[in-house]
Amino acid sequence: LNRGIVLCKASLIYNWRDEIHMHTNCKAVVLTGSIKERAKMFSALAKDDSWTFLIMSYETYRISIANVQLLDNYKPLDFCLVDEAQKVKSPESRIGVVIHYIPYRFRYVITATPLINTPLEAFNYLKFGSIFKSDFTWWDFKQRYAEWGGRNNKEVIMYKNMKELLKALQSNMLRRLKKDKLKELPDVTFKTVNIGMTPKQMKLYNAIKKDIIEDLADTSLEKVPAQLAKLIRLQQVVDSPALIGDSVNSSKIEALDEMLEELVEGGGEKVIVFSRFRELINILSERYKKYNPAIITGDVNAQGYTEVAAVRKLKSILGSEWDTLNTQERRELIEKEMASDRQREVYRFQKDDSCKVFLGSSGACREGLTLTAATHVIFLDCEWSPAYVEQAYSRAHRIGQKNAVNVYYLVCTGTIDEHVQKVLHRKESMAQTMVECIEDGGGRLSEIGETRVKQVISELIGLDI
């Protein structure tokens, strides 16, 4: 293989570049910038034999597909590596369509969550891998592996031919669990920290819960958005009433105060704190200024400068001093400017001894970050997917980690926290079944993942129905 494409989320492109340069002697080029800057880069790449990896975001690939095809004519692209491949799982999305435009000789799909919701999500992965005949369409796939019914015949009522589909997956998939492949990694330990809410918190919680119970009396679909919005408010009250504009103290934040005091000040260790809520991370960033926290939310810029733009900026800042620098000094400054704000926060947490705490919104931080300086990961709340939770704490429990990692779940007893944990355990079992198991009998798999909205909401608020 001479050269090829790495496709990833925009927030991960510089992480890919750094990893390639760290572990190989290959040259990796990041494609970013304006339309004119990208055009210049494509022109230069077509004349250059020194590069192996061209890294770009899905969005850049989508809007630049014509230029990628031209580049393939001048410098044949041998492979395409699709990272966090769930981005291309929909065959009806634009990126899910253009991913098939170039006939790469080798195609690699990388994902920790191949089937997040249903077996039908396997289609575009298998099509990209040329597992199906060219005339086998998305419609053909849906009819082959699912039976349809319900309203307008658009609901899956049963999966079928699952042995056949799972065989196609398993014969083209290398599934590797971290515990099996990275035997040199230290242990990871999970601990649930049970916390009681303050009386004022519980009063707020019960008021919202009462509204939801009243809404449940009406099972019409029009009520569902309001019920779901109130579920989010329940979680916010449990985390911190400040999220709904109330000044009541949070027992969970007070417990976090004590943990950080013990782990950071007492033990001298670094700690990662995750929450689903960006607003809560902003609140904590003020509260824990003394720990000089690194902070990443969806607001943190994941794009760095192109090399040309980085040089231009440095020359404007340094003036004549730029001419006095040697090649190595220039390169170090350029690399620093090319790093995104997001990556700078990572570097700071990893290398700055005064930066003791990392605060992150879990949705923005579960991919592409190496935070092995931490030995403790604290979840103030959890996302709904066990795979996403694992991806988040794996920022610390990954290659380069030398110490055992402790993962803490802060759970307020008698609240939505406890029921979310139950849902996560159930969904994890479902995911394992879909990916690993060949079902018994006639190759049919029931639609076990669909639960009525009323039942789900009732379970999450702790109401037996």
Side-chain angles (χ1 to χ4, degrees):
L1 301 179
N2 291 314
R3 63 188 60 83
I5 303 285
V6 174
L7 289 184
C8 60
K9 294 182 179 181
S11 60
L12 304 183
I13 54 178
Y14 291 98
N15 179 262
W16 262 101
R17 181 200 65 186
D18 293 348
E19 294 290 334
I20 290 170
H21 289 166
M22 182 185 301
H23 297 292
T24 79
N25 293 319
C26 299
K27 180 179 179 180
V29 178
V30 171
L31 184 73
T32 60
S34 65
I35 295 175
K36 288 184 178 180
E37 289 173 327
R38 294 199 305 270
K40 289 181 180 179
M41 287 192 68
F42 276 116
S43 178
L45 290 167
K47 303 171 185 176
D48 184 2
D49 290 322
S50 68
W51 61 277
T52 302
F53 294 91
L54 177 58
I55 307 167
M56 67 182 81
S57 70
Y58 287 106
E59 178 63 16
T60 298
Y61 187 82
R62 182 184 68 80
I63 62 179
S64 304
I65 187 62
N67 283 324
V68 177
Q69 290 174 305
L70 285 173
L71 178 62
D72 182 48
N73 290 335
Y74 287 99
K75 288 281 187 292
L77 300 170
D78 300 313
F79 65 88
C80 182
L81 189 155
V82 183
D83 186 30
E84 299 297 343
Q86 59 272 17
K87 289 285 289 184
V88 302
K89 70 181 181 181
S90 172
E92 297 174 321
S93 67
R94 180 59 180 164
I95 185 62
V97 172
V98 302
I99 193 69
H100 304 292
Y101 281 10
I102 296 176
Y104 301 102
R105 290 194 296 127
F106 294 89
R107 304 156 191 216
Y108 303 90
V109 171
I110 299 179
T111 176
T113 53
L115 305 177
I116 297 177
N117 296 305
T118 79
L120 297 183
E121 293 175 347
F123 172 74
N124 228 28
Y125 302 144
L126 294 173
K127 181 181 178 181
F128 182 60
S130 300
I131 309 305
F132 302 129
K133 293 181 179 179
S134 58
D135 60 350
F136 190 69
T137 67
W138 170 226
W139 189 90
D140 295 328
F141 182 86
K142 290 191 293 184
Q143 299 306 309
R144 177 68 181 168
Y145 296 110
E147 290 184 4
W148 299 82
R151 187 176 182 180
N152 297 324
N153 208 39
K154 292 183 178 181
E155 298 178 9
V156 175
I157 58 175
M158 185 77 69
Y159 294 117
K160 59 185 180 180
N161 299 316
M162 283 293 101
K163 284 186 178 179
E164 178 182 291
L165 179 58
L166 290 171
K167 183 178 179 181
L169 276 172
Q170 292 171 345
S171 61
N172 293 282
M173 175 173 64
L174 292 173
R175 187 163 189 261
R176 296 294 181 261
L177 301 179
K178 183 187 295 183
K179 64 182 178 65
D180 297 327
K181 295 302 294 180
L182 302 180
K183 297 184 184 298
E184 72 277 11
L185 272 183
D187 291 337
V188 56
T189 303
F190 302 93
K191 301 178 182 179
T192 298
V193 180
N194 292 309
I195 304 163
M197 283 200 298
T198 66
K200 290 184 177 180
Q201 255 186 298
M202 185 58 74
K203 185 177 180 180
L204 283 173
Y205 185 90
N206 287 334
I208 298 172
K209 180 177 176 179
K210 182 180 178 181
D211 287 344
I212 296 175
I213 292 173
E214 291 175 355
D215 281 345
L216 284 174
D218 182 353
T219 57
S220 64
L221 290 176
E222 289 77 8
K223 283 286 187 179
V224 170
Q227 293 169 357
L228 295 177
K230 288 176 182 176
L231 280 179
I232 294 174
R233 290 188 69 202
L234 276 183
Q235 184 67 70
Q236 290 174 325
V237 168
V238 171
D239 283 1
S240 173
L243 293 174
I244 63 168
D246 199 290
S247 60
V248 171
N249 290 338
S250 165
S251 57
K252 190 177 283 191
I253 301 304
E254 290 173 354
L256 180 61
D257 290 343
E258 294 178 359
M259 292 180 70
L260 292 181
E261 183 178 349
E262 177 184 349
L263 298 173
V264 177
E265 298 179 29
E269 300 182 78
K270 292 197 175 189
V271 179
I272 299 169
V273 179
F274 285 128
S275 171
R276 293 162 54 200
F277 301 110
R278 186 181 307 175
E279 297 89 344
L280 184 55
I281 297 302
N282 293 334
I283 291 171
L284 297 180
S285 67
E286 289 295 318
R287 189 180 187 94
Y288 299 130
K289 275 186 175 181
K290 64 180 179 180
Y291 298 127
N292 188 23
I295 303 164
I296 291 183
T297 66
D299 293 328
V300 176
N301 184 16
Q303 296 286 351
Y305 287 104
T306 64
E307 185 164 352
V308 172
V311 171
R312 187 185 305 122
K313 179 182 177 182
L314 288 167
K315 284 183 175 179
S316 67
I317 294 173
L318 298 176
S320 59
E321 185 181 346
W322 172 260
D323 298 324
T324 67
L325 300 177
N326 61 40
T327 301
Q328 181 61 30
E329 290 170 331
R330 288 184 180 182
R331 175 47 51 185
E332 289 177 357
L333 289 173
I334 291 171
E335 292 287 340
K336 184 176 180 180
E337 287 299 327
M338 290 175 68
S340 63
D341 293 342
R342 172 186 168 98
Q343 197 61 36
R344 289 193 188 98
E345 290 296 282
V346 172
Y347 292 154
R348 192 161 68 84
F349 183 71
Q350 289 287 90
K351 299 176 182 179
D352 186 346
D353 290 337
S354 71
C355 181
K356 295 295 187 181
V357 173
F358 179 93
L359 303 173
S361 55
S362 49
C365 296
R366 61 176 178 254
E367 300 160 351
L369 303 181
T370 295
L371 303 172
T372 49
T375 50
H376 302 276
V377 181
I378 300 174
F379 286 91
L380 292 173
D381 47 65
C382 290
E383 293 188 87
W384 298 105
S385 166
Y388 290 163
V389 174
E390 181 179 0
Q391 282 183 301
Y393 72 69
S394 292
R395 300 311 95 206
H397 191 243
R398 61 196 295 108
I399 292 175
Q401 181 57 263
K402 304 299 182 184
N403 303 299
V405 174
N406 295 300
V407 178
Y408 306 87
Y409 301 107
L410 302 195
V411 174
C412 282
T413 56
T415 72
I416 191 173
D417 277 349
E418 290 185 332
H419 302 289
V420 168
Q421 292 296 314
K422 291 178 183 177
V423 170
L424 287 174
H425 289 311
R426 188 179 72 237
K427 290 179 73 173
E428 185 172 16
S429 298
M430 289 167 51
Q432 292 296 325
T433 298
M434 292 171 70
V435 174
E436 293 179 343
C437 297
I438 297 178
E439 72 293 347
D440 297 328
R444 300 168 71 88
L445 186 67
S446 296
E447 173 66 350
I448 60 175
E450 293 294 333
T451 308
R452 294 184 183 278
V453 171
K454 183 177 179 181
Q455 292 173 318
V456 171
I457 294 173
S458 298
E459 179 180 343
L460 289 173
I461 64 173
L463 180 67
D464 293 328
I465 62 170

